[in-house]
Amino acid sequence: MRVERVWVAGGVVRIAACTGESAVACPDCGRGSARVHSRYGRTLADVAVGGRPVLIGLSVRRLFCDGPGCGRRTFAEQVEGLTARYQRRSPLLQHLVEMAGVLLAGRGGARLLQILKVPLSRTSVLFHLMRLPLPPAPTPRVLGVDDFALYADVYGTLLVDADTRLPIELWAGRDAGPLAAWLRTHPGVEVVCRDGSLIYRQGIAEGAPEAVQVSDRFHLWQGLSKRVGDIAAAHRGCLPAAMGDPEPPPPSANSAGPSDSDDTPARRHAKRLFEAVHAATDTGRSLNAAARELGLNRRTVGKYARAATWQECVRRPRPRRPTSLDPYLEYLRQRWEEGEHTATVLHQEIVAKGYRGNYQRVKMAIAPLRRGLPIDTPRERPPSPREVARWITTEPSRRSLHATEALRRLLKRCPELDRTHDLVRQFAAMLDARDATSLPGWLEELAASHLPALASLAKAIREDQHAVVQGITTRFNSGVNEGRITDLKLQKRIMAGRAGVRLLRHRVILMASLRRRYL
């Protein structure tokens, strides 16, 4: 190629060039030819120079093909590294446009290209992105399978190469059929890491029956933790025992004589609902049927059906939270007893001691003293079922001193939670030691614990026991799946959540291909 002229016009660097006189190979038969049919001009955009866009006016030849057996009579010459058929950009600029679409999608790619002096709309960026061919999916030795939420209740499936930690395939839905079909077309998978999904279990068994299935340790522990939370919620009446000054247990529903505190509207309403729900559910009807009959929400019916007494369903007033005034309450009480009853003076005195709050809080704090009542000090609230579940599932050496003492008091009061705690620690020991020899005995203890949540967990693990054993004893897990799903959700949010499965799949697979190439 010969450059004839370079000049700047209207902020654009323009280059006039033409091709040489050398022979060019025919694209069909490969025979060289230098016999010129005609010349014509092409305008090519190239990457910016010095912050200015570049346009190349290139004069190229159309040549005759003299091959006796070639069906092409003429062909246009192409300059390697500069031109491509039907392309108005140089290969370097075209690659830049495509990579902007892969990495930043439509709007983000268009903004970046605008900065690089390549004005393109977001639609054009996506058009060039979707024209890129997808590389063939490799067959991994260790495959990770997991689902992800596309939107609302619509899910997709992501396949990850656990060795390279990169995604290899994505599709909408989480059915067994597509997974089995993919495994049949990609033979050679030796290990498949998954969660406890029955659908994926069936798909792997159909598509790669010789592959070893591994049930992920994280999902096993997550399932156990959820059951612990359910048990703690079912024994909500025992949770106040975790406090330093445990409240007396609520009176039994069948205790003789009405209580003096049963006359509030909230208590009467809770008692009526409790009796109505138990009258409907104790006969064997489902929660949905009871909810339709009583005209209540299913969650409300479930709450009253799980409660042992109606007192557990009464909404208790929330204890006052600690405030910045609490360190000065004893001083305020002492000054009140000494005869200082002016809130303004008391506020000034504690401000001198370091209090940074306002006067109204001091005025409200001493209001009970004017009525002959003690100052309202903050009280510790009972732990929630979620907090208790977190205490039980946390390694004892990593619990805080407060949590350790509160859990000790709670387990001493509630034998069911104490039994749950022992079973959880046994399973944690199996995970730490990577030893599943005691798993059958542990499952027997779950079934014999008389706790429905743990009994259902034992049944689910028995149905998938071989994969659970592999998850406990081997180093394979689904951690890489979760990380790649986090990346995928980030890409969805970059595209404002409007990415369809086809576009999302294109970007995820091409980005994985880039990582394999450059990392």
Side-chain angles (χ1 to χ4, degrees), residues 60-80:
V60 297
R61 299 174 295 171
R62 178 170 290 278
L63 305 169
F64 287 101
C65 180
D66 296 327
C70 184
R72 184 186 292 271
R73 304 315 304 161
T74 64
F75 64 91
E77 65 177 335
Q78 303 294 337
V79 179
E80 185 178 358

Side-chain angles (χ1 to χ4, degrees), residues 355-372:
Y355 177 61
R356 294 293 179 265
N358 55 33
Y359 158 77
Q360 288 295 335
R361 180 166 289 178
V362 177
K363 180 181 177 181
M364 293 174 62
I366 65 173
L369 296 175
R370 299 186 186 279
R371 301 192 301 270

Side-chain angles (χ1 to χ4, degrees), residues 10-13 45-55 89 93 96-97 109-120:
V12 179
V13 177
D46 201 3
V47 292
V49 174
R52 296 174 179 175
V54 175
L55 287 179
R89 299 183 186 88
L93 181 59
L96 180 64
V97 170
R111 293 189 189 105
L112 175 63
L113 292 173
Q114 186 73 29
I115 296 172
L116 298 177
K117 306 301 179 182
V118 187
L120 272 183

Side-chain angles (χ1 to χ4, degrees), residues 182-242:
W182 191 91
L183 289 171
R184 281 192 290 265
T185 56
H186 295 79
V189 176
E190 300 176 7
V191 180
V192 183
C193 301
R194 56 166 175 79
D195 56 15
S197 170
L198 176 62
I199 296 174
Y200 288 149
R201 188 193 318 170
Q202 294 172 347
I204 297 167
E206 294 174 8
E210 70 285 351
V212 177
Q213 299 191 36
V214 179
S215 186
D216 182 53
R217 291 189 292 274
F218 167 77
H219 290 95
L220 291 173
W221 188 257
Q222 186 182 50
L224 178 60
S225 302
K226 183 179 182 302
R227 264 67 172 201
V228 174
D230 294 342
I231 295 172
H235 294 80
R236 192 184 297 269
C238 300
L239 301 188

Side-chain angles (χ1 to χ4, degrees), residues 296-326:
L296 299 173
N297 186 279
R298 184 185 182 280
R299 293 185 178 181
T300 303
V301 174
K303 168 187 169 183
Y304 279 88
R306 288 192 300 268
T309 62
W310 65 266
Q311 286 88 346
E312 297 178 20
C313 305
V314 178
R315 180 174 295 180
R316 297 176 178 83
R318 182 172 295 180
R320 184 175 71 81
R321 295 181 177 179
T323 66
S324 59
L325 184 62
D326 292 342

Side-chain angles (χ1 to χ4, degrees), residues 115-139:
I115 296 172
L116 298 177
K117 306 301 179 182
V118 187
L120 272 183
S121 68
R122 62 181 180 86
T123 306
S124 297
V125 174
L126 293 179
F127 171 76
H128 289 289
L129 164 63
M130 297 304 294
R131 287 177 59 192
L132 286 173
L134 293 178
T139 299

